[in-house]
Amino acid sequence: MPSFDIVSEIDMSELKNAIDNANRELDTRFDFRGVKASFEFTNDVAKLSAEHDSQLRQLVDMLRTNLIKRGVDSRAMDMETPSHSGKTWTQVIKFKEGVDQPTAKKLVKLIKDNKMKVQVAVQGEQLRVTGKKRDDLQAVMSLVKATDLEQGFQFNNFRD
């Protein structure tokens, strides 16, 4: 029976490259001359720091732009609230990987509500979709791509 997996993964090397590119762009930006601002990436977490909250928002936009250029889905960014200490604003950005249980339940409900002739099984942090026809699976793929669940999904392991 044809099947495929719905997963949510991030290529960490591309993520690191995007942050490095954002750091290089930060060095060449005129509006950040003489300003302490930086991107740091450790343990799959990006830390942005700047002297003002508006500059911090610009850093987030720069990071989002570089993520898109490198092919990383920017919906995977999980931004925490900015914190202020002294004259430095910092913001921690975590990146979502894997399909968590509430999102998996929403996807299963979405597929079942559309009366697709497929079976969906949650397997840890991914979903396995099986069906009799390849066309049904492709319809599920287009349905998942069309929904906005604040997370990017990839389709792996397509078997016929």
Side-chain angles (χ1 to χ4, degrees):
M1 269 179 102
S3 67
F4 71 91
D5 295 334
I6 300 174
V7 297
S8 179
E9 297 174 339
I10 298 173
D11 187 2
M12 284 298 163
S13 61
E14 289 296 330
L15 178 62
K16 191 165 176 50
N17 288 339
I19 291 174
D20 289 343
N21 288 346
N23 260 328
R24 280 191 217 104
E25 182 180 341
L26 183 64
D27 291 340
T28 61
R29 291 267 302 248
F30 179 75
D31 52 345
F32 282 99
R33 291 260 162 86
V35 175
K36 281 193 170 186
S38 66
F39 294 94
E40 296 173 19
F41 183 66
T42 54
N43 299 333
D44 301 339
V45 175
K47 183 178 178 184
L48 286 59
S49 60
E51 290 182 358
H52 198 267
D53 62 335
S54 63
Q55 292 172 341
L56 194 62
R57 288 193 298 272
Q58 286 178 335
L59 290 178
V60 170
D61 288 341
M62 285 170 54
L63 179 61
R64 185 172 284 128
T65 302
N66 281 299
L67 287 173
I68 292 169
K69 283 180 187 176
R70 299 299 300 184
V72 177
D73 197 344
S74 63
R75 292 180 291 180
M77 292 187 350
D78 185 19
M79 295 189 280
E80 296 181 0
T81 57
S83 62
H84 181 259
S85 69
K87 70 175 204 173
T88 304
W89 286 79
T90 59
Q91 184 166 16
V92 175
I93 299 177
K94 297 178 181 174
F95 294 92
K96 295 183 261 185
E97 272 197 301
V99 182
D100 57 345
Q101 287 293 1
T103 307
K105 287 181 182 178
K106 287 178 188 175
L107 279 173
V108 170
K109 185 176 181 340
L110 175 76
I111 292 169
K112 290 193 183 226
D113 287 349
N114 281 309
K115 307 259 192 267
M116 300 276 189
K117 295 184 178 184
V118 295
Q119 291 79 36
V120 183
V122 178
Q123 296 178 336
E125 292 188 341
Q126 64 183 16
L127 279 82
R128 169 75 44 97
V129 181
T130 57
K132 289 185 179 179
K133 296 180 185 172
R134 175 188 278 185
D135 295 339
D136 294 338
L137 297 181
Q138 290 173 342
V140 170
M141 283 182 181
S142 63
L143 177 70
V144 170
K145 284 181 184 177
T147 61
D148 184 30
L149 292 175
E150 298 177 7
Q151 192 170 358
F153 298 107
Q154 293 84 32
F155 308 106
N156 288 348
N157 238 0
F158 192 90
R159 297 176 194 257
D160 214 3

mmCIF file of all heavy atoms in Angstrom, residues 113-159:
data_model
loop_
_atom_site.group_PDB
_atom_site.id
_atom_site.type_symbol
_atom_site.label_atom_id
_atom_site.label_comp_id
_atom_site.label_asym_id
_atom_site.label_seq_id
_atom_site.Cartn_x
_atom_site.Cartn_y
_atom_site.Cartn_z
ATOM 1 N N ASP A 113 -11.776 15.009 8.649
ATOM 2 C CA ASP A 113 -12.914 15.872 8.343
ATOM 3 C C ASP A 113 -13.116 16.069 6.853
ATOM 4 O O ASP A 113 -14.226 16.349 6.412
ATOM 5 C CB ASP A 113 -12.742 17.244 9.013
ATOM 6 C CG ASP A 113 -12.967 17.189 10.516
ATOM 7 O OD1 ASP A 113 -13.458 16.148 11.005
ATOM 8 O OD2 ASP A 113 -12.642 18.182 11.198
ATOM 9 N N ASN A 114 -12.057 15.930 6.070
ATOM 10 C CA ASN A 114 -12.165 16.072 4.620
ATOM 11 C C ASN A 114 -12.527 14.767 3.930
ATOM 12 O O ASN A 114 -12.489 14.683 2.703
ATOM 13 C CB ASN A 114 -10.859 16.639 4.046
ATOM 14 C CG ASN A 114 -10.775 18.119 4.252
ATOM 15 O OD1 ASN A 114 -11.701 18.851 3.923
ATOM 16 N ND2 ASN A 114 -9.673 18.574 4.818
ATOM 17 N N LYS A 115 -12.845 13.744 4.696
ATOM 18 C CA LYS A 115 -13.317 12.451 4.194
ATOM 19 C C LYS A 115 -12.356 11.836 3.182
ATOM 20 O O LYS A 115 -12.760 11.283 2.165
ATOM 21 C CB LYS A 115 -14.700 12.595 3.561
ATOM 22 C CG LYS A 115 -15.738 13.251 4.454
ATOM 23 C CD LYS A 115 -16.644 12.252 5.060
ATOM 24 C CE LYS A 115 -17.837 12.906 5.715
ATOM 25 N NZ LYS A 115 -17.674 13.174 7.088
ATOM 26 N N MET A 116 -11.058 11.948 3.474
ATOM 27 C CA MET A 116 -10.050 11.330 2.615
ATOM 28 C C MET A 116 -10.037 9.825 2.883
ATOM 29 O O MET A 116 -10.248 9.385 4.004
ATOM 30 C CB MET A 116 -8.659 11.900 2.917
ATOM 31 C CG MET A 116 -8.544 13.373 2.718
ATOM 32 S SD MET A 116 -8.224 13.699 1.004
ATOM 33 C CE MET A 116 -7.869 15.417 1.043
ATOM 34 N N LYS A 117 -9.767 9.059 1.854
ATOM 35 C CA LYS A 117 -9.745 7.598 1.997
ATOM 36 C C LYS A 117 -8.338 7.133 2.326
ATOM 37 O O LYS A 117 -7.716 6.386 1.569
ATOM 38 C CB LYS A 117 -10.251 6.937 0.726
ATOM 39 C CG LYS A 117 -11.707 7.243 0.466
ATOM 40 C CD LYS A 117 -12.217 6.503 -0.734
ATOM 41 C CE LYS A 117 -13.688 6.806 -0.927
ATOM 42 N NZ LYS A 117 -14.251 6.030 -2.018
ATOM 43 N N VAL A 118 -7.839 7.628 3.451
ATOM 44 C CA VAL A 118 -6.496 7.269 3.918
ATOM 45 C C VAL A 118 -6.560 7.003 5.419
ATOM 46 O O VAL A 118 -7.511 7.403 6.091
ATOM 47 C CB VAL A 118 -5.467 8.387 3.633
ATOM 48 C CG1 VAL A 118 -5.273 8.595 2.151
ATOM 49 C CG2 VAL A 118 -5.868 9.676 4.303
ATOM 50 N N GLN A 119 -5.541 6.313 5.917
ATOM 51 C CA GLN A 119 -5.409 6.086 7.354
ATOM 52 C C GLN A 119 -4.198 6.891 7.826
ATOM 53 O O GLN A 119 -3.161 6.904 7.170
ATOM 54 C CB GLN A 119 -5.184 4.605 7.682
ATOM 55 C CG GLN A 119 -6.392 3.725 7.415
ATOM 56 C CD GLN A 119 -6.537 3.378 5.937
ATOM 57 O OE1 GLN A 119 -5.538 3.195 5.252
ATOM 58 N NE2 GLN A 119 -7.765 3.322 5.461
ATOM 59 N N VAL A 120 -4.354 7.522 8.987
ATOM 60 C CA VAL A 120 -3.280 8.323 9.554
ATOM 61 C C VAL A 120 -2.920 7.736 10.904
ATOM 62 O O VAL A 120 -3.794 7.492 11.740
ATOM 63 C CB VAL A 120 -3.708 9.797 9.723
ATOM 64 C CG1 VAL A 120 -2.556 10.633 10.234
ATOM 65 C CG2 VAL A 120 -4.235 10.356 8.422
ATOM 66 N N ALA A 121 -1.623 7.498 11.119
ATOM 67 C CA ALA A 121 -1.148 6.959 12.392
ATOM 68 C C ALA A 121 -0.036 7.866 12.914
ATOM 69 O O ALA A 121 0.879 8.225 12.178
ATOM 70 C CB ALA A 121 -0.622 5.542 12.209
ATOM 71 N N VAL A 122 -0.137 8.234 14.187
ATOM 72 C CA VAL A 122 0.895 9.054 14.821
ATOM 73 C C VAL A 122 2.002 8.121 15.290
ATOM 74 O O VAL A 122 1.759 7.169 16.029
ATOM 75 C CB VAL A 122 0.315 9.849 16.010
ATOM 76 C CG1 VAL A 122 1.404 10.659 16.686
ATOM 77 C CG2 VAL A 122 -0.825 10.737 15.557
ATOM 78 N N GLN A 123 3.229 8.405 14.851
ATOM 79 C CA GLN A 123 4.379 7.586 15.234
ATOM 80 C C GLN A 123 5.436 8.503 15.839
ATOM 81 O O GLN A 123 6.313 8.995 15.135
ATOM 82 C CB GLN A 123 4.958 6.844 14.035
ATOM 83 C CG GLN A 123 4.010 5.855 13.433
ATOM 84 C CD GLN A 123 4.614 5.181 12.211
ATOM 85 O OE1 GLN A 123 5.501 5.702 11.569
ATOM 86 N NE2 GLN A 123 4.094 4.001 11.911
ATOM 87 N N GLY A 124 5.340 8.735 17.129
ATOM 88 C CA GLY A 124 6.301 9.615 17.788
ATOM 89 C C GLY A 124 6.119 11.045 17.327
ATOM 90 O O GLY A 124 5.083 11.649 17.556
ATOM 91 N N GLU A 125 7.140 11.586 16.660
ATOM 92 C CA GLU A 125 7.089 12.966 16.190
ATOM 93 C C GLU A 125 6.835 13.061 14.689
ATOM 94 O O GLU A 125 7.211 14.028 14.049
ATOM 95 C CB GLU A 125 8.390 13.684 16.546
ATOM 96 C CG GLU A 125 8.558 13.879 18.032
ATOM 97 C CD GLU A 125 9.745 14.769 18.358
ATOM 98 O OE1 GLU A 125 10.627 14.950 17.500
ATOM 99 O OE2 GLU A 125 9.767 15.275 19.484
ATOM 100 N N GLN A 126 6.207 12.041 14.128
ATOM 101 C CA GLN A 126 5.841 12.073 12.718
ATOM 102 C C GLN A 126 4.502 11.369 12.532
ATOM 103 O O GLN A 126 4.029 10.669 13.419
ATOM 104 C CB GLN A 126 6.913 11.430 11.853
ATOM 105 C CG GLN A 126 7.126 9.955 12.094
ATOM 106 C CD GLN A 126 8.268 9.416 11.251
ATOM 107 O OE1 GLN A 126 9.063 10.183 10.718
ATOM 108 N NE2 GLN A 126 8.338 8.112 11.129
ATOM 109 N N LEU A 127 3.886 11.572 11.375
ATOM 110 C CA LEU A 127 2.618 10.934 11.055
ATOM 111 C C LEU A 127 2.808 10.062 9.820
ATOM 112 O O LEU A 127 3.404 10.499 8.842
ATOM 113 C CB LEU A 127 1.546 11.979 10.760
ATOM 114 C CG LEU A 127 0.855 12.631 11.938
ATOM 115 C CD1 LEU A 127 1.687 13.738 12.494
ATOM 116 C CD2 LEU A 127 -0.484 13.154 11.527
ATOM 117 N N ARG A 128 2.298 8.852 9.863
ATOM 118 C CA ARG A 128 2.351 7.947 8.709
ATOM 119 C C ARG A 128 0.973 7.948 8.077
ATOM 120 O O ARG A 128 -0.040 7.670 8.729
ATOM 121 C CB ARG A 128 2.744 6.555 9.180
ATOM 122 C CG ARG A 128 2.602 5.427 8.195
ATOM 123 C CD ARG A 128 3.644 5.333 7.097
ATOM 124 N NE ARG A 128 5.019 5.524 7.464
ATOM 125 C CZ ARG A 128 5.891 4.560 7.708
ATOM 126 N NH1 ARG A 128 5.517 3.307 7.695
ATOM 127 N NH2 ARG A 128 7.142 4.863 7.978
ATOM 128 N N VAL A 129 0.923 8.257 6.798
ATOM 129 C CA VAL A 129 -0.331 8.286 6.049
ATOM 130 C C VAL A 129 -0.284 7.158 5.032
ATOM 131 O O VAL A 129 0.640 7.084 4.227
ATOM 132 C CB VAL A 129 -0.524 9.645 5.340
ATOM 133 C CG1 VAL A 129 -1.835 9.670 4.584
ATOM 134 C CG2 VAL A 129 -0.464 10.782 6.330
ATOM 135 N N THR A 130 -1.281 6.265 5.067
ATOM 136 C CA THR A 130 -1.354 5.166 4.104
ATOM 137 C C THR A 130 -2.712 5.210 3.405
ATOM 138 O O THR A 130 -3.712 5.615 3.998
ATOM 139 C CB THR A 130 -1.190 3.789 4.789
ATOM 140 O OG1 THR A 130 -2.193 3.654 5.790
ATOM 141 C CG2 THR A 130 0.170 3.654 5.422
ATOM 142 N N GLY A 131 -2.712 4.795 2.166
ATOM 143 C CA GLY A 131 -3.943 4.771 1.385
ATOM 144 C C GLY A 131 -3.826 3.797 0.238
ATOM 145 O O GLY A 131 -2.747 3.260 -0.037
ATOM 146 N N LYS A 132 -4.936 3.574 -0.459
ATOM 147 C CA LYS A 132 -4.925 2.608 -1.553
ATOM 148 C C LYS A 132 -4.379 3.210 -2.837
ATOM 149 O O LYS A 132 -3.791 2.505 -3.648
ATOM 150 C CB LYS A 132 -6.338 2.079 -1.802
ATOM 151 C CG LYS A 132 -6.833 1.173 -0.703
ATOM 152 C CD LYS A 132 -8.178 0.594 -1.053
ATOM 153 C CE LYS A 132 -8.626 -0.328 0.068
ATOM 154 N NZ LYS A 132 -9.944 -0.887 -0.223
ATOM 155 N N LYS A 133 -4.597 4.509 -3.032
ATOM 156 C CA LYS A 133 -4.207 5.142 -4.281
ATOM 157 C C LYS A 133 -3.188 6.248 -4.030
ATOM 158 O O LYS A 133 -3.253 6.952 -3.027
ATOM 159 C CB LYS A 133 -5.423 5.762 -4.977
ATOM 160 C CG LYS A 133 -6.464 4.779 -5.409
ATOM 161 C CD LYS A 133 -7.592 5.514 -6.077
ATOM 162 C CE LYS A 133 -8.730 4.584 -6.417
ATOM 163 N NZ LYS A 133 -9.887 5.335 -6.883
ATOM 164 N N ARG A 134 -2.299 6.393 -4.976
ATOM 165 C CA ARG A 134 -1.305 7.465 -4.903
ATOM 166 C C ARG A 134 -1.995 8.834 -4.967
ATOM 167 O O ARG A 134 -1.563 9.787 -4.313
ATOM 168 C CB ARG A 134 -0.329 7.310 -6.067
ATOM 169 C CG ARG A 134 0.664 8.435 -6.166
ATOM 170 C CD ARG A 134 1.461 8.350 -7.415
ATOM 171 N NE ARG A 134 2.549 7.423 -7.244
ATOM 172 C CZ ARG A 134 3.470 7.216 -8.155
ATOM 173 N NH1 ARG A 134 3.402 7.854 -9.306
ATOM 174 N NH2 ARG A 134 4.451 6.376 -7.945
ATOM 175 N N ASP A 135 -3.084 8.925 -5.724
ATOM 176 C CA ASP A 135 -3.802 10.191 -5.859
ATOM 177 C C ASP A 135 -4.358 10.663 -4.526
ATOM 178 O O ASP A 135 -4.378 11.866 -4.235
ATOM 179 C CB ASP A 135 -4.934 10.059 -6.881
ATOM 180 C CG ASP A 135 -4.415 9.800 -8.288
ATOM 181 O OD1 ASP A 135 -3.231 10.121 -8.552
ATOM 182 O OD2 ASP A 135 -5.180 9.271 -9.106
ATOM 183 N N ASP A 136 -4.848 9.731 -3.699
ATOM 184 C CA ASP A 136 -5.357 10.096 -2.378
ATOM 185 C C ASP A 136 -4.241 10.684 -1.519
ATOM 186 O O ASP A 136 -4.442 11.671 -0.800
ATOM 187 C CB ASP A 136 -5.954 8.880 -1.671
ATOM 188 C CG ASP A 136 -7.205 8.356 -2.371
ATOM 189 O OD1 ASP A 136 -7.837 9.144 -3.119
ATOM 190 O OD2 ASP A 136 -7.542 7.174 -2.171
ATOM 191 N N LEU A 137 -3.061 10.085 -1.591
ATOM 192 C CA LEU A 137 -1.929 10.581 -0.807
ATOM 193 C C LEU A 137 -1.501 11.962 -1.293
ATOM 194 O O LEU A 137 -1.171 12.837 -0.478
ATOM 195 C CB LEU A 137 -0.757 9.604 -0.888
ATOM 196 C CG LEU A 137 -0.995 8.211 -0.308
ATOM 197 C CD1 LEU A 137 0.257 7.368 -0.441
ATOM 198 C CD2 LEU A 137 -1.436 8.277 1.129
ATOM 199 N N GLN A 138 -1.521 12.173 -2.602
ATOM 200 C CA GLN A 138 -1.159 13.478 -3.124
ATOM 201 C C GLN A 138 -2.191 14.542 -2.734
ATOM 202 O O GLN A 138 -1.840 15.692 -2.501
ATOM 203 C CB GLN A 138 -0.979 13.410 -4.636
ATOM 204 C CG GLN A 138 0.263 12.627 -5.022
ATOM 205 C CD GLN A 138 0.383 12.385 -6.500
ATOM 206 O OE1 GLN A 138 -0.596 12.498 -7.240
ATOM 207 N NE2 GLN A 138 1.587 12.028 -6.939
ATOM 208 N N ALA A 139 -3.444 14.153 -2.636
ATOM 209 C CA ALA A 139 -4.480 15.083 -2.175
ATOM 210 C C ALA A 139 -4.242 15.464 -0.709
ATOM 211 O O ALA A 139 -4.432 16.623 -0.329
ATOM 212 C CB ALA A 139 -5.858 14.459 -2.343
ATOM 213 N N VAL A 140 -3.810 14.494 0.098
ATOM 214 C CA VAL A 140 -3.497 14.786 1.500
ATOM 215 C C VAL A 140 -2.310 15.742 1.575
ATOM 216 O O VAL A 140 -2.307 16.679 2.379
ATOM 217 C CB VAL A 140 -3.214 13.487 2.284
ATOM 218 C CG1 VAL A 140 -2.649 13.793 3.658
ATOM 219 C CG2 VAL A 140 -4.476 12.658 2.416
ATOM 220 N N MET A 141 -1.304 15.516 0.730
ATOM 221 C CA MET A 141 -0.139 16.412 0.715
ATOM 222 C C MET A 141 -0.551 17.847 0.402
ATOM 223 O O MET A 141 -0.122 18.788 1.072
ATOM 224 C CB MET A 141 0.885 15.943 -0.312
ATOM 225 C CG MET A 141 1.704 14.781 0.102
ATOM 226 S SD MET A 141 2.869 14.425 -1.228
ATOM 227 C CE MET A 141 3.689 13.014 -0.548
ATOM 228 N N SER A 142 -1.378 18.023 -0.613
ATOM 229 C CA SER A 142 -1.804 19.381 -0.980
ATOM 230 C C SER A 142 -2.676 19.996 0.114
ATOM 231 O O SER A 142 -2.606 21.202 0.356
ATOM 232 C CB SER A 142 -2.520 19.381 -2.323
ATOM 233 O OG SER A 142 -3.696 18.610 -2.250
ATOM 234 N N LEU A 143 -3.472 19.176 0.793
ATOM 235 C CA LEU A 143 -4.294 19.669 1.893
ATOM 236 C C LEU A 143 -3.422 20.154 3.047
ATOM 237 O O LEU A 143 -3.648 21.233 3.607
ATOM 238 C CB LEU A 143 -5.241 18.565 2.377
ATOM 239 C CG LEU A 143 -6.121 18.895 3.579
ATOM 240 C CD1 LEU A 143 -7.179 19.908 3.180
ATOM 241 C CD2 LEU A 143 -6.770 17.642 4.111
ATOM 242 N N VAL A 144 -2.392 19.391 3.398
ATOM 243 C CA VAL A 144 -1.507 19.769 4.501
ATOM 244 C C VAL A 144 -0.714 21.028 4.142
ATOM 245 O O VAL A 144 -0.516 21.905 4.976
ATOM 246 C CB VAL A 144 -0.571 18.598 4.876
ATOM 247 C CG1 VAL A 144 0.515 19.033 5.833
ATOM 248 C CG2 VAL A 144 -1.380 17.462 5.486
ATOM 249 N N LYS A 145 -0.278 21.134 2.880
ATOM 250 C CA LYS A 145 0.456 22.328 2.458
ATOM 251 C C LYS A 145 -0.421 23.571 2.516
ATOM 252 O O LYS A 145 0.062 24.667 2.795
ATOM 253 C CB LYS A 145 0.982 22.153 1.036
ATOM 254 C CG LYS A 145 2.191 21.262 0.942
ATOM 255 C CD LYS A 145 2.653 21.157 -0.504
ATOM 256 C CE LYS A 145 3.797 20.191 -0.639
ATOM 257 N NZ LYS A 145 4.202 20.025 -2.051
ATOM 258 N N ALA A 146 -1.713 23.403 2.248
ATOM 259 C CA ALA A 146 -2.623 24.553 2.211
ATOM 260 C C ALA A 146 -3.014 25.053 3.595
ATOM 261 O O ALA A 146 -3.422 26.200 3.733
ATOM 262 C CB ALA A 146 -3.880 24.180 1.431
ATOM 263 N N THR A 147 -2.878 24.221 4.622
ATOM 264 C CA THR A 147 -3.272 24.650 5.963
ATOM 265 C C THR A 147 -2.162 25.455 6.610
ATOM 266 O O THR A 147 -0.989 25.297 6.299
ATOM 267 C CB THR A 147 -3.590 23.448 6.869
ATOM 268 O OG1 THR A 147 -2.424 22.650 6.991
ATOM 269 C CG2 THR A 147 -4.731 22.648 6.326
ATOM 270 N N ASP A 148 -2.562 26.323 7.532
ATOM 271 C CA ASP A 148 -1.588 27.135 8.259
ATOM 272 C C ASP A 148 -1.631 26.725 9.725
ATOM 273 O O ASP A 148 -2.468 27.190 10.483
ATOM 274 C CB ASP A 148 -1.914 28.620 8.109
ATOM 275 C CG ASP A 148 -0.882 29.494 8.772
ATOM 276 O OD1 ASP A 148 0.295 29.082 8.842
ATOM 277 O OD2 ASP A 148 -1.246 30.592 9.242
ATOM 278 N N LEU A 149 -0.745 25.824 10.098
ATOM 279 C CA LEU A 149 -0.672 25.369 11.479
ATOM 280 C C LEU A 149 0.573 25.902 12.186
ATOM 281 O O LEU A 149 1.052 25.327 13.150
ATOM 282 C CB LEU A 149 -0.681 23.834 11.537
ATOM 283 C CG LEU A 149 -1.981 23.180 11.109
ATOM 284 C CD1 LEU A 149 -1.846 21.670 11.091
ATOM 285 C CD2 LEU A 149 -3.114 23.577 12.037
ATOM 286 N N GLU A 150 1.120 27.024 11.680
ATOM 287 C CA GLU A 150 2.276 27.698 12.269
ATOM 288 C C GLU A 150 3.489 26.788 12.392
ATOM 289 O O GLU A 150 4.260 26.884 13.337
ATOM 290 C CB GLU A 150 1.914 28.293 13.630
ATOM 291 C CG GLU A 150 0.834 29.350 13.556
ATOM 292 C CD GLU A 150 0.437 29.884 14.905
ATOM 293 O OE1 GLU A 150 1.083 29.529 15.900
ATOM 294 O OE2 GLU A 150 -0.523 30.654 14.957
ATOM 295 N N GLN A 151 3.623 25.879 11.455
ATOM 296 C CA GLN A 151 4.774 24.977 11.435
ATOM 297 C C GLN A 151 4.933 24.467 10.011
ATOM 298 O O GLN A 151 3.950 24.213 9.325
ATOM 299 C CB GLN A 151 4.546 23.816 12.403
ATOM 300 C CG GLN A 151 5.764 22.989 12.668
ATOM 301 C CD GLN A 151 5.533 22.015 13.818
ATOM 302 O OE1 GLN A 151 4.483 21.993 14.425
ATOM 303 N NE2 GLN A 151 6.535 21.222 14.088
ATOM 304 N N GLY A 152 6.174 24.327 9.576
ATOM 305 C CA GLY A 152 6.429 23.819 8.244
ATOM 306 C C GLY A 152 6.494 22.300 8.251
ATOM 307 O O GLY A 152 7.066 21.708 9.166
ATOM 308 N N PHE A 153 5.899 21.675 7.256
ATOM 309 C CA PHE A 153 5.887 20.216 7.182
ATOM 310 C C PHE A 153 6.613 19.758 5.921
ATOM 311 O O PHE A 153 6.532 20.396 4.878
ATOM 312 C CB PHE A 153 4.451 19.683 7.172
ATOM 313 C CG PHE A 153 3.680 20.015 8.408
ATOM 314 C CD1 PHE A 153 2.681 20.970 8.381
ATOM 315 C CD2 PHE A 153 3.956 19.385 9.599
ATOM 316 C CE1 PHE A 153 1.971 21.283 9.516
ATOM 317 C CE2 PHE A 153 3.249 19.687 10.742
ATOM 318 C CZ PHE A 153 2.260 20.642 10.707
ATOM 319 N N GLN A 154 7.299 18.615 6.052
ATOM 320 C CA GLN A 154 7.934 17.983 4.909
ATOM 321 C C GLN A 154 7.336 16.585 4.774
ATOM 322 O O GLN A 154 6.814 16.026 5.737
ATOM 323 C CB GLN A 154 9.451 17.865 5.094
ATOM 324 C CG GLN A 154 10.179 19.196 5.097
ATOM 325 C CD GLN A 154 10.181 19.865 6.457
ATOM 326 O OE1 GLN A 154 10.197 19.199 7.471
ATOM 327 N NE2 GLN A 154 10.168 21.187 6.471
ATOM 328 N N PHE A 155 7.465 16.032 3.575
ATOM 329 C CA PHE A 155 6.926 14.714 3.298
ATOM 330 C C PHE A 155 8.085 13.794 2.944
ATOM 331 O O PHE A 155 8.794 14.027 1.974
ATOM 332 C CB PHE A 155 5.908 14.771 2.166
ATOM 333 C CG PHE A 155 4.840 15.826 2.411
ATOM 334 C CD1 PHE A 155 4.839 16.999 1.728
ATOM 335 C CD2 PHE A 155 3.862 15.597 3.367
ATOM 336 C CE1 PHE A 155 3.872 17.963 1.957
ATOM 337 C CE2 PHE A 155 2.903 16.552 3.617
ATOM 338 C CZ PHE A 155 2.896 17.736 2.915
ATOM 339 N N ASN A 156 8.273 12.756 3.744
ATOM 340 C CA ASN A 156 9.367 11.806 3.559
ATOM 341 C C ASN A 156 8.819 10.427 3.253
ATOM 342 O O ASN A 156 7.666 10.132 3.499
ATOM 343 C CB ASN A 156 10.230 11.708 4.824
ATOM 344 C CG ASN A 156 11.075 12.922 5.046
ATOM 345 O OD1 ASN A 156 11.203 13.769 4.170
ATOM 346 N ND2 ASN A 156 11.649 13.020 6.220
ATOM 347 N N ASN A 157 9.709 9.565 2.782
ATOM 348 C CA ASN A 157 9.430 8.129 2.738
ATOM 349 C C ASN A 157 8.237 7.784 1.867
ATOM 350 O O ASN A 157 7.461 6.894 2.224
ATOM 351 C CB ASN A 157 9.172 7.631 4.162
ATOM 352 C CG ASN A 157 10.116 6.543 4.543
ATOM 353 O OD1 ASN A 157 10.960 6.159 3.763
ATOM 354 N ND2 ASN A 157 9.950 6.049 5.746
ATOM 355 N N PHE A 158 8.059 8.469 0.748
ATOM 356 C CA PHE A 158 6.919 8.154 -0.116
ATOM 357 C C PHE A 158 7.167 6.802 -0.778
ATOM 358 O O PHE A 158 8.108 6.623 -1.509
ATOM 359 C CB PHE A 158 6.736 9.244 -1.181
ATOM 360 C CG PHE A 158 5.439 9.131 -1.917
ATOM 361 C CD1 PHE A 158 4.325 9.775 -1.444
ATOM 362 C CD2 PHE A 158 5.334 8.394 -3.079
ATOM 363 C CE1 PHE A 158 3.108 9.686 -2.106
ATOM 364 C CE2 PHE A 158 4.135 8.303 -3.751
ATOM 365 C CZ PHE A 158 3.020 8.933 -3.254
ATOM 366 N N ARG A 159 6.299 5.858 -0.492
ATOM 367 C CA ARG A 159 6.435 4.499 -1.042
ATOM 368 C C ARG A 159 5.198 4.167 -1.846
ATOM 369 O O ARG A 159 4.094 4.483 -1.464
ATOM 370 C CB ARG A 159 6.621 3.475 0.073
ATOM 371 C CG ARG A 159 7.891 3.730 0.829
ATOM 372 C CD ARG A 159 8.021 2.773 1.987
ATOM 373 N NE ARG A 159 9.060 3.260 2.870
ATOM 374 C CZ ARG A 159 10.280 2.741 2.904
ATOM 375 N NH1 ARG A 159 10.609 1.762 2.130
ATOM 376 N NH2 ARG A 159 11.173 3.239 3.742
#
